Amino acid sequence: MKDLISVKLIPDKEAGEIFALTGRLKKNPRAYNKALAGKTLALIFQKPSNRTRVSFEVGMYQLGGHTIYLGPEEINLGVREAIKDVARTLSRYVDGIVLRTFAHKNVLEMAAFSQIPVINGLSDYSHPCQALADLYTVKERFGRLKGIRLAYVGDGNNVCNSLIYACVKLGLNIRVASPAGYEPDAQVVREARALAFAKGSEFGISHDPFKAVSGADVVYTDVWASMGQEKEAKIRARAFRDFQINARLMKKAGGRALVMHCLPAHRGQEITDEVLDGARAIVFDQAENRMHVQKAVLIRLLGRRA
Ligand code: CP
Ligand code: NVA
């Protein structure tokens, strides 16, 4: 694996190795404080970020490496300079690139023209670092992944697409409930159905949040309007009205279900304060695990290049 572009492209064995290394890194971070000494990671971000930027910057620092943050004004990707020229130039300076962008094809182009690993730090289509950290968090909580029932309620967006692949590949059962017209990507749904069948996991999509959460171990949601969709916020708020994670929906899930959210959360929209601040929410464990999992990914991708 040269790059981390989407969960779909992660070999099953690699996911297991990433999680195993994450466990070791989390337990004994000092043992790895020179793992990436002398290495530099460029962070090209075309959208805002708290978790992704900070966890990569701190993670790289803890591994003995260095980061350079290149915000929207800096590189002006595809406008000031073609993506392939950015890729080829940065390949001469740094050891890896994290790209947060709009169109997923930007990540593919960056990876195709880079001689160094490219990590997708979120595109409109997927958010693989998030899904990996999320499933690591589930594993930490339940001690296993196989057979865990995850319900995703809300927009069939980047986070949802990545979670679907991660769940069906790693043996979790996933049910998605979204309003009509806001389902996950059609190709993701097709491929996930086939993968779930092959792996013996369950995958279902519907427009019924109550049905989706019934009997779930984990209830997951994300914002109704993602970065770049701000103009649609009002229309979306109407369409998603019945897809809020609140006490009534959680009651249907049963007393033991945990609540996950990739954050940032729009409190009072996709999730109530009561649920997000409640004892069943594990959102800050997810946020913390972003850093541990990404450190493992960085070692796997950048570490073996001499
Ligand atoms: N979950 C996540 O990616 O958060 P940021 O947008 O703050 O990086
Ligand atoms: N779906 C959200 C995720 C943010 C981490 C977005 O793309 O804005």
Side-chain angles (χ1 to χ4, degrees):
M1 192 169 90
K2 171 185 164 277
D3 310 294
L4 175 55
I5 293 178
S6 65
V7 176
K8 173 184 156 182
L9 299 176
I10 304 176
D12 290 357
K13 196 162 160 264
E14 182 69 30
E17 311 233 337
I18 290 170
F19 287 168
L21 180 54
T22 302
R24 296 197 294 276
L25 277 157
K26 194 169 175 179
K27 208 165 160 198
N28 191 6
R30 277 170 201 275
Y32 297 87
N33 64 9
K34 294 199 174 59
L36 295 182
K39 307 258 178 185
T40 302
L41 182 69
L43 305 173
I44 306 177
F45 278 43
Q46 296 189 291
K47 292 174 176 172
S49 170
N50 172 8
R51 280 145 291 273
T52 306
R53 177 179 176 181
V54 177
S55 58
F56 268 112
E57 293 219 18
V58 175
M60 196 62 187
Y61 175 74
Q62 291 183 358
L63 295 170
H66 176 70
T67 52
I68 299 175
Y69 176 76
L70 299 158
E73 302 304 316
E74 223 78 50
I75 288 215
N76 207 353
L77 206 63
V79 178
R80 182 170 185 268
E81 200 169 3
I83 292 176
K84 59 185 173 186
D85 293 337
V86 173
R88 291 187 283 213
T89 302
L90 289 181
S91 295
R92 305 287 182 106
Y93 296 137
V94 302
D95 303 281
I97 296 171
V98 178
L99 175 59
R100 168 165 283 202
T101 188
F102 293 87
H104 188 67
K105 68 173 171 40
N106 295 346
V107 183
L108 298 174
E109 189 177 345
M110 188 71 83
F113 287 94
S114 293
Q115 285 166 307
I116 53 174
V118 171
I119 297 171
N120 176 1
L122 180 145
S123 69
D124 289 344
Y125 171 71
S126 67
H127 197 3
C129 297
Q130 183 69 52
L132 282 176
D134 292 339
L135 291 208
Y136 181 81
T137 309
V138 169
K139 195 164 194 266
E140 206 171 46
R141 281 284 169 156
F142 292 91
R144 68 189 163 99
L145 289 174
K146 279 223 167 356
I148 296 294
R149 290 158 301 182
L150 188 146
Y152 179 96
V153 175
D155 191 19
N157 59 16
N158 43 11
V159 168
C160 180
N161 289 334
S162 292
L163 268 178
I164 291 172
Y165 275 125
C167 286
V168 295
K169 277 173 77 108
L170 298 174
L172 292 86
N173 302 322
I174 176 164
R175 287 187 194 157
V176 176
S178 46
Y182 297 96
E183 294 88 355
D185 181 83
Q187 191 190 343
V188 172
V189 171
R190 257 197 323 274
E191 290 180 358
R193 280 209 177 105
L195 259 175
F197 183 74
K199 301 261 180 185
S201 41
E202 279 171 37
F203 168 54
I205 55 172
S206 76
H207 301 126
D208 184 345
F210 284 89
K211 203 172 112 191
V213 304
S214 160
D217 298 303
V218 177
V219 177
Y220 197 119
T221 193
D222 184 16
V223 291
W224 292 341
S226 285
M227 292 181 276
Q229 297 173 333
E230 289 79 5
K231 285 202 182 114
E232 297 171 37
K234 261 202 179 136
I235 297 176
R236 285 173 166 266
R238 270 200 296 279
F240 284 85
R241 207 173 30 204
D242 297 328
F243 290 76
Q244 184 187 62
I245 307 290
N246 51 33
R248 202 161 73 91
L249 191 69
M250 288 310 295
K251 203 165 167 205
K252 178 77 182 172
R256 291 156 55 122
L258 299 176
V259 175
M260 298 180 78
H261 191 310
C262 57
L263 302 178
H266 293 163
R267 289 167 174 266
Q269 290 190 25
E270 76 275 3
I271 192 162
T272 58
D273 283 327
E274 185 188 6
V275 174
L276 191 59
D277 296 328
R280 282 141 75 185
I282 55 168
V283 298
F284 299 106
D285 292 340
Q286 290 173 258
E288 180 187 334
N289 283 334
R290 287 289 304 276
M291 186 175 78
H292 303 301
V293 168
Q294 287 162 197
K295 282 170 74 177
V297 168
L298 287 170
I299 291 177
R300 302 279 305 165
L301 294 183
L302 275 60
R304 50 180 119 92
R305 303 167 74 87

